[in-house]
Amino acid sequence: MKKTVAFFFILSIFISVKAQDTTINKIALLPLISNGIDLASVQTAESILRMELSNASTINIISEKKTLAALGNEDCTDEECAKEIGEKLNAKQVLLCKLNPLGEKIIVQYILVETATGKNILSESATAINLEDIDAVMKRVAISVAKQTPFNANTEVGNIVGQESIESLQRKARYNFGVGFGYLFPAEGYDNDKKSFTLNAYLDYEIQDYSVGLMAGARDGFAINLYGNYLFSKTDLCPYVGGAFGFHWVAHDAAFMYDPYYYPDGVEKDADGIEIGLNAGLRILHTYNIQLFINVEYIMTFNDYNDKAVVVTIGIL
């Protein structure tokens, strides 16, 4: 009986914690304020921000009609005013956003105000290098508000803004060239060796959530494979799994080139054959042009030696 009570007590705590994790915040987005930017661009930026916020699973955004009705004919530009509007709309939080031109750039400033206390719980700014860059910036602002994290903490492949592309020089097209090195650990065949050094070269291209490419390597002989990986993340730490298919010529000692049991006439065994590999790994600094990676691969070569091995490599793309 005691164990049953304890179980349901723990279960209730777990459900409570999960409920807190999925709490939906009711947020009011006030009309964007701008100085020197045309009205159509400001309205488009606001529409993008409102749509992205409405798509967030943790946010219930109050309609534009109700927000404008609560504002009346007044402008709201500070925390005190935001608190009053939040109380009228029964909103938990209120978001204020300003667009300020600076030459060709647009400085986007936003603050998130807690209605109950009137305190500023998130205050961030971002730079759009031009009006065309506003789209990416608004999407990142929405992520920042939904997660209540700094703007720069939400970098992902696909939402890099123009200023970040300039600063990092290469958060852009995902064509990669790289090298990796490590060890091949035989599981079967390979003349019963313990391990051997391996060096690989890569031509790699990322397509959405996938990377495909060509690998040529010196791995106890010579191998050339086509590979494909599924990328689990668009952030700087990106785990992946995948497979490879190609050809491997394995270097075997002369003493192993003939098998008197299977080949009594001294027929030479084939050391080369089709190779299949299964791999998993981690890409580090994934949003940058220069990436590091750790890769573990199990390879099977279909030759007369039935060579199988685990290959562990680290490298750079």
Side-chain angles (χ1 to χ4, degrees):
M1 181 65 180
K2 290 182 179 179
K3 290 183 178 179
T4 303
V5 173
F7 171 77
F8 281 107
F9 177 72
I10 295 172
L11 182 62
S12 64
I13 293 176
F14 175 77
I15 294 173
S16 176
V17 170
K18 295 300 289 183
Q20 291 177 5
D21 289 342
T22 57
T23 299
I24 297 178
N25 291 333
K26 193 175 182 181
I27 292 181
L29 170 63
L30 301 186
L32 270 63
I33 301 169
S34 172
N35 296 313
I37 301 176
D38 65 279
L39 180 60
S41 296
V42 175
Q43 290 176 338
T44 300
E46 182 179 333
S47 177
I48 293 171
L49 179 56
R50 182 174 290 276
M51 181 184 67
E52 294 296 327
L53 288 170
S54 65
N55 289 336
S57 60
T58 58
I59 289 179
N60 178 12
I61 188 166
I62 297 173
S63 70
E64 183 179 8
K65 183 178 180 180
K66 290 182 179 179
T67 303
L68 292 175
L71 274 171
N73 295 322
E74 298 182 1
D75 291 330
C76 185
T77 60
D78 55 39
E79 289 90 337
E80 183 178 352
C81 171
K83 183 178 186 302
E84 294 176 1
I85 298 299
E87 290 172 346
K88 288 182 182 180
L89 294 170
N90 193 29
K92 185 176 181 180
Q93 297 164 349
V94 178
L95 178 62
L96 297 92
C97 187
K98 301 178 182 179
L99 306 181
N100 299 314
L102 182 62
E104 293 184 357
K105 297 179 181 179
I106 301 171
I107 308 301
V108 180
Q109 298 173 307
Y110 59 99
I111 59 175
L112 187 64
V113 178
E114 189 176 51
T115 301
T117 62
K119 291 183 178 180
N120 181 343
I121 58 177
L122 183 66
S123 179
E124 289 290 315
S125 66
T127 301
I129 60 174
N130 49 42
L131 283 173
E132 287 74 18
D133 199 32
I134 284 291
D135 181 16
V137 172
M138 289 295 105
K139 291 178 180 179
R140 285 273 292 281
V141 170
I143 296 174
S144 172
V145 171
K147 296 182 178 181
Q148 296 189 17
T149 55
F151 182 88
N152 291 332
N154 301 295
T155 305
E156 295 183 354
V157 174
N159 72 4
I160 304 300
V161 301
Q163 185 65 25
E164 291 170 329
S165 296
I166 293 173
E167 291 172 353
S168 67
L169 297 180
Q170 273 286 46
R171 293 187 179 193
K172 54 179 184 179
R174 311 305 293 178
Y175 292 94
N176 302 312
F177 170 78
V179 293
F181 61 91
Y183 285 99
L184 180 149
F185 299 92
E188 184 177 341
Y190 289 95
D191 299 347
N192 299 321
D193 292 339
K194 292 185 177 180
K195 66 178 181 180
S196 61
F197 181 77
T198 180
L199 179 65
N200 303 326
Y202 301 90
L203 288 174
D204 182 88
Y205 177 54
E206 290 188 29
I207 308 173
Q208 296 295 330
D209 297 326
Y210 300 89
S211 68
V212 294
L214 176 71
M215 186 282 298
R219 42 168 65 174
D220 208 340
F222 176 77
I224 183 166
N225 290 332
L226 296 173
Y227 65 85
N229 296 320
Y230 177 76
L231 309 176
F232 287 96
S233 170
K234 295 183 179 181
T235 59
D236 281 336
L237 292 177
C238 175
Y240 63 86
V241 296
F245 176 82
F247 181 86
H248 192 176
W249 181 85
V250 184
H252 283 276
D253 293 338
F256 289 83
M257 297 300 287
Y258 299 91
D259 189 331
Y261 180 80
Y262 291 103
Y263 303 99
D265 297 329
V267 179
E268 183 177 354
K269 295 200 294 183
D270 289 330
D272 58 304
I274 298 298
E275 181 171 87
I276 294 177
L278 301 174
N279 69 286
L282 178 68
R283 294 193 178 195
I284 305 169
L285 302 178
H286 181 219
T287 63
Y288 291 85
N289 183 49
I290 297 178
Q291 306 176 46
L292 305 177
F293 69 86
I294 303 170
N295 187 73
V296 179
E297 184 178 12
Y298 182 75
I299 58 174
M300 298 170 286
T301 304
F302 295 92
N303 58 8
D304 289 336
Y305 298 88
N306 199 27
D307 292 317
K308 298 181 177 67
V310 174
V311 182
V312 180
T313 52
I314 59 175
I316 186 170
L317 292 173

